[in-house]
Amino acid sequence: MLISPEKLRSLVQTEETDEILEMKLTALENLIRNYTHNNFQIREIRSYSGIFENKVVNPPLNLAVGDTIQISQSLLNNGVYTVTEITDEGMTVSGKLLDCTKNLITKVSYPPDVVLGAVNLYKWDMDNRAKVGIQSETISRHSVTYFNMDGDNAVMGYPKSLLGFLKPYMKARF
């Protein structure tokens, strides 16, 4: 996960529940990963591990609770998960895992500027999403013109200027 709901609450004042915040943060994480074609993996922290009874057996070293991992090259469990518990028996992650003997587990880490950019996208979403589609508004003698969200001004539902922080992380897609 890009940032925990608790940490987000310390940066942004919001009344949304943890469940809603987790869904929105997961959506932002997927948007960033798909837009940049970058999975932000740390390939030095990876291993082939089995999954039995919803636990990752023999997970990679140097993982901690709250870390993000990506499971790939699996027949059943491909995806991005958050580590919730590490014991001698194995590692538990957010979400349900199916038994599978061969899974590539890799740590995912997002740079601080990507996390801060995601927080700014969340703030924009809270403050401006309802105004999308309204070009101008006049009340008495006060006129306000909003940002135009058509054509080349918007990418994936956000103003192009807000996604500029992702440019250094863009990878070519083949």
Side-chain angles (χ1 to χ4, degrees):
M1 181 171 288
L2 282 166
I3 186 172
S4 68
E6 296 81 28
K7 182 74 172 164
L8 181 66
R9 284 185 199 282
S10 71
L11 299 171
V12 178
Q13 188 174 19
T14 180
E15 299 296 322
E16 293 181 332
T17 65
D18 282 350
E19 185 179 348
I20 297 294
L21 281 178
E22 283 185 28
M23 287 174 55
K24 287 186 175 187
L25 289 169
T26 301
L28 277 174
E29 181 178 16
N30 288 335
L31 178 134
I32 288 169
R33 289 169 64 96
N34 288 330
Y35 181 67
T36 61
H37 307 294
N38 189 339
N39 54 23
F40 297 95
Q41 291 181 348
I42 300 176
R43 292 184 174 91
E44 291 78 24
I45 304 177
R46 85 173 4 165
S47 72
Y48 281 99
S49 304
I51 296 175
F52 300 102
E53 297 178 7
N54 207 34
K55 284 195 183 283
V56 178
V57 181
N58 298 324
L61 300 175
N62 303 318
L63 287 178
V65 173
D67 283 349
T68 303
I69 62 164
Q70 180 171 354
I71 299 177
S72 54
Q73 298 181 14
S74 173
L75 295 174
L76 305 170
N77 298 305
N78 291 327
V80 178
Y81 302 91
T82 303
V83 176
T84 57
E85 180 184 31
I86 298 177
T87 62
D88 292 337
E89 293 86 37
M91 177 176 68
T92 307
V93 298
S94 61
K96 176 122 174 74
L97 298 175
L98 301 171
D99 291 354
C100 187
T101 57
K102 189 175 180 184
N103 307 275
L104 182 62
I105 314 291
T106 309
K107 181 176 180 175
V108 174
S109 180
Y110 298 99
D113 55 334
V114 171
V115 174
L116 187 60
V119 170
N120 289 335
L121 288 175
Y122 177 79
K123 281 185 198 176
W124 184 89
D125 215 17
M126 281 183 18
D127 298 338
N128 298 317
R129 182 62 67 187
K131 297 175 184 173
V132 170
I134 302 173
Q135 181 123 11
S136 65
E137 175 179 301
T138 304
I139 300 173
S140 188
R141 291 181 284 170
H142 178 73
S143 179
V144 178
T145 302
Y146 295 106
F147 184 78
N148 190 3
M149 289 285 290
D150 62 355
D152 289 335
N153 295 330
V155 175
M156 300 179 103
Y158 292 94
K160 200 172 194 174
S161 61
L162 281 181
L163 294 174
F165 70 96
L166 294 173
K167 189 165 180 108
Y169 302 102
M170 300 287 281
K171 290 194 173 182
R173 187 171 189 183
F174 298 101

